[in-house]
Amino acid sequence: MDHTAVLALYDRDVRERARPDGPGARVERAGAVVRQVADAHGWNGVLWSDLDEAGADRAIRDQIARFTSLGRDFEWKLYGHDRPADLGARLTAAGFRAEPEETLLVAETARLALDAEPPAGVRLVEAADEAGVDLVVDVHEKAFGTDGTRLRHRLLARLAADPGTVVAVAALAGDEPVSAARMELLPGTPFAGLWGGGTVEAWRGRGLYRALVAHRARVAAAHGYRYLQVDASPMSRPILQRLGFRTLSTTTPYLYGN
């Protein structure tokens, strides 16, 4: 993989030329900033910027003004290679708070080992309706200890409006959901994004995470997507690297508001 070329492609296709990630959202291009504005259930934030030292603080103030005028908390999704080099410090000084850093990993679907299967007695089910989404959300809440209301709303809206762009899958032990994950397919780009992989505590360490990665990779490959992208936590990064993912950059969410 040509690291420089793939990173440039990712920046262009996924960030600079971003499309709304669901119904009711819109992407706005304001000078050297690309942002998404959505309703209270959607993701609001800055996707891409091309700033210099002279204009960075003004651009930050403009984004704060835009989102606060709408009554929206928002995220500035900062990548390790973004400029200026002190953009993170400037965001902090403007009132943002940084979340833990994650690693941007990418793999070519053709080079991944896709033969990982769930353990005996566990089956994978793709969510196609409200009942399927509830299975995914149930795992999300148990695995991460967070409320899944917004995730449920976004998945149902996406499946209703544009079902060909999202895959949500749950692993069931009998009728009990024990692991789940989702994938966003980005039309017009070679990238599919892996998100939200989580397993309830009693089922961790049994290969479910790998099986869900492999399942989504097979779906992405069948739809002609060349690359899989993940914002990986320190816990998932080693697993993904063993499967063939490579580091492109880092990403840190900077949050503004409550």
Side-chain angles (χ1 to χ4, degrees):
M1 183 187 299
D2 184 331
H3 176 280
T4 301
V6 175
L7 181 58
L9 188 65
Y10 178 86
D11 279 342
R12 186 193 72 186
D13 287 0
V14 177
R15 301 179 64 204
E16 186 178 3
R17 298 180 181 177
R19 300 183 181 191
D21 70 357
R26 65 184 181 275
V27 170
E28 299 178 345
R29 291 170 172 82
V33 172
V34 175
R35 64 193 176 217
Q36 177 171 289
V37 174
D39 62 22
H41 293 287
W43 186 85
N44 289 269
V46 173
L47 294 156
W48 176 86
S49 65
D50 183 20
L51 304 175
D52 57 25
E53 293 182 358
D57 291 335
R58 174 61 183 271
I60 292 170
R61 291 194 297 270
D62 288 347
Q63 306 322 303
I64 293 173
R66 174 60 176 151
F67 285 103
T68 55
S69 73
L70 299 171
R72 297 282 183 267
D73 300 337
F74 73 104
E75 172 185 334
W76 191 302
K77 194 171 176 64
L78 180 67
Y79 289 78
H81 59 286
D82 286 345
R83 296 292 178 263
D86 65 347
L87 185 52
R90 291 171 185 260
L91 290 169
T92 300
F96 289 78
R97 65 187 186 280
E99 293 283 281
E101 180 183 270
E102 296 181 319
T103 305
L104 173 62
L105 299 177
V106 169
E108 293 187 68
T109 54
R111 295 179 178 271
L112 286 174
L114 303 181
D115 56 351
E117 296 293 341
V122 176
R123 57 195 171 95
L124 303 184
V125 177
E126 290 189 13
D129 54 21
E130 187 171 352
V133 168
D134 285 343
L135 295 174
V136 173
V137 172
D138 182 71
V139 171
H140 178 89
E141 293 184 331
K142 291 176 179 175
F144 299 113
T146 56
D147 180 74
T149 302
R150 291 181 66 182
L151 174 62
R152 186 177 189 276
H153 174 88
R154 292 176 67 183
L155 279 177
L156 287 174
R158 189 83 169 262
L159 286 170
D162 205 355
T165 65
V166 63
V167 175
V169 57
L172 303 183
D175 293 325
E176 178 189 1
V178 295
S179 188
R182 65 188 190 277
M183 175 171 66
E184 296 182 2
L185 305 171
L186 304 179
T189 83
F191 292 94
L194 304 185
W195 301 95
T199 302
V200 300
E201 187 172 359
W203 281 84
R204 291 171 188 165
R206 305 193 196 187
L208 285 168
Y209 185 87
R210 291 190 299 275
L212 287 170
V213 171
H215 177 85
R216 289 174 290 168
R218 289 192 293 266
V219 174
H223 284 80
Y225 285 86
R226 182 175 179 181
Y227 298 108
L228 289 177
Q229 167 262 319
V230 189
D231 291 348
S233 69
M235 181 180 296
S236 61
R237 185 178 65 240
I239 302 171
L240 292 163
Q241 288 174 327
R242 287 195 295 270
L243 292 174
F245 283 78
R246 297 292 179 262
T247 299
L248 274 191
S249 187
T250 60
T251 178
T252 304
Y254 279 79
L255 307 181
Y256 192 92
N258 296 326

